[in-house]
Every structure is written in structure tokens, then in C-alpha cells.
Amino acid sequence: TQQVRLWVAELAPRVAVAEGAGLLARLTGVQLGASTFERIAVHLGTRLRAAEWQTAQRHHAGHPPPVERKPHRLYISVDGIFAPLREPWKQDGSRGPLTCRFGECKTAVVYEARTGPKGDAGVVWRAYTASFADSEQFGPLVATLAHRAGHHFARELVFLADGLAYNWTIAASQFPTALQIVDFQHTVAHLFEVAHAFFGAGTAPVGPWVEARKAELLEDRVAAVGVALGDLVPRTEEQRKLQTRELGFFAKNAERMRYGTFLKIGRAHV
């Protein structure tokens, strides 16, 4: 029934297939096998994705969807996570052996911040999209989501991402007026990777070295971080390659790492 499909649509994104079928039975008394639950979920997800992609195509053809919000400050944040995938398969073996692999799921959240006396103080509203498609297809999905969220009305538009090049290609092509920021947590993760490689994970120097670099970043001193990275002495080829890569990462994204300035702007515009 339509009601059962609606229940599956609510549960499927939140829990694993077998758990979803059991949870549905406990909450509603409706008994579905795990394979039936999965089949309904896949069907619904396929239909929803097709509808979302059609909306994005109409948007880029000059027929945008309705605007749902008119925010003051809007954030667009993108990231990726590798997730396990299963190739098309049937239990009777008619489609060949079971084959699994990992693929990158590109994710985006568009959200409006709640203002407070010292800057952002929570989230008023948010919406998500995700896709295993390439960045050329993912960009229009993000742009359509942001359009619905009213990004053309936002006085401040912020694009947050890690350092991957395709993220900034999306930012430049879809949101050319947005302030680009490398997410601070991603930046700190790079610092920890360097500290663990050169000092050893769990050793005493790691914490102070990372904290010193974080303090420099919060003062807009990205060049000082580069100096500290350059002062490390590689003992192995792996350390040398990591040092070169990270020096490039911080140099290439220096303008996107002016965290002290970004914090001041955020507080000043509350």
C-alpha cells in the first residue's frame, strides 16, 4: 500500500535493510521480508533521484523550482565519503556472482545559520542531497538545492569544502559570488596527519605542534604554518612525499584559510 511505501521511505535512509524490516514490524505490525523492504527502498530511491535530476535539468534550462527560503546567511557544504556498493545481483545467481566495491558518495548540505551575539549559534533550516555520480552531474544537483534554499536572496553565501579540486570547480561554476572556505576540521585533520607521520601517533609532541598550527591559522598566519611544515626533516621517502603534498595543500588554499578574518566577518555581520 501507499502507506507502507511511505513508512519504508522514512526508515530506509536511517537504518540497514534487515534492521528496517524489523523496526517496521515492531512499530506498525506490518511484516516485510528484508528483500521486500530493500526492493521497495531501491524503487523509491530510484524514483526520487530521477525526479531530483529532472528538476535540476529544468532549472539549468531556465525553469527553476520555487524558492522556499530567503535567508540572510546561507552555507553550502560539500564532502565525500566512500561507501560499500553491490553490483546488480540476483540471489539465484542469474546475474553472475556477487560483486562488491567501494565508491565515493558525494554529499551536500545547504543550511541557514541562526545568528547569536558572537556569530552563528546553530542551524535554522537544512536540506541535503547526495549522489554517486561524477562532479559534473553533482554540481547541478547542489545548485538546484541551493536555489530552493534561496541562495540568490542571501546577503552572505558561504561555500565550505575540503581541499579536493572538484569542490572548488563546483563553487566557481555554480556559486561564483560565494565566499570559499576550507572546512576547519578538514584542515586540522591534515595537521594531525603530518604530526602523526613525523612524531608518531600518540606521542607527546603531536598535541602541542597541532595546537600551535591551529593558533596560527586562527590568526590568518597560513604562511607560518607553511614554515613549520618546511622545518620538519623527512627521514623516509613517505615523509618527504607527505611534506611536499601538504605544503602544496596549504599554499594552494591559503585564501580559503583566513579563519581569523572569517570569524571577524561572521561576528560583525550578526
Side-chain angles (χ1 to χ4, degrees), residues 5-15 44:
R5 291 197 296 273
L6 289 171
W7 285 333
V8 172
E10 287 289 339
L11 292 174
R14 294 170 169 82
V15 295
L44 291 171

Side-chain angles (χ1 to χ4, degrees), residues 120-243:
D120 294 340
V123 175
V124 177
W125 178 90
R126 64 179 70 102
Y128 300 89
T129 190
S131 176
F132 285 100
D134 59 28
S135 58
E136 291 185 359
Q137 288 188 318
F138 183 58
L141 293 177
V142 180
T144 302
L145 186 69
H147 174 88
R148 288 174 44 217
H151 80 88
H152 292 299
F153 294 91
R155 284 187 284 173
E156 298 176 24
L157 185 63
V158 182
F159 189 94
L160 291 164
D162 60 18
L164 292 178
Y166 76 75
N167 291 328
W168 308 117
T169 299
I170 291 173
S173 62
Q174 305 292 345
F175 312 103
T177 63
L179 176 64
Q180 298 181 7
I181 302 177
V182 175
D183 184 277
F184 190 67
Q185 296 303 318
H186 278 105
T187 301
V188 172
H190 281 259
L191 296 174
F192 270 108
E193 183 178 2
V194 171
H196 289 162
F198 278 84
F199 305 125
T203 60
V206 169
W209 189 87
V210 171
E211 288 302 316
R213 307 291 80 78
K214 287 168 63 177
E216 290 163 350
L217 289 170
L218 292 173
E219 295 173 353
D220 287 353
R221 298 170 58 205
V222 183
V225 175
V227 171
L229 286 168
D231 286 343
L232 297 172
V233 180
R235 300 181 301 278
T236 66
E237 181 64 13
E238 290 74 15
Q239 289 179 337
R240 186 193 66 77
K241 289 180 179 179
L242 176 64
Q243 183 183 49

Side-chain angles (χ1 to χ4, degrees), residues 68-75 109-116 119-128 149:
E68 300 171 9
R69 313 281 302 184
K70 292 185 179 181
H72 168 81
R73 178 185 296 157
L74 190 71
Y75 290 89
V109 57
V110 176
Y111 62 96
E112 181 182 352
R114 179 183 294 109
T115 57
D120 294 340
V123 175
V124 177
W125 178 90
R126 64 179 70 102
Y128 300 89

Side-chain angles (χ1 to χ4, degrees), residues 78-107:
V78 299
D79 200 358
I81 184 170
F82 280 87
L85 301 175
R86 187 184 72 192
E87 298 293 355
W89 173 76
K90 281 191 175 182
Q91 201 166 17
D92 62 7
S94 60
R95 301 191 70 171
L98 175 62
T99 304
C100 298
R101 62 181 174 85
F102 279 89
E104 186 191 28
C105 181
K106 298 174 180 64
T107 65

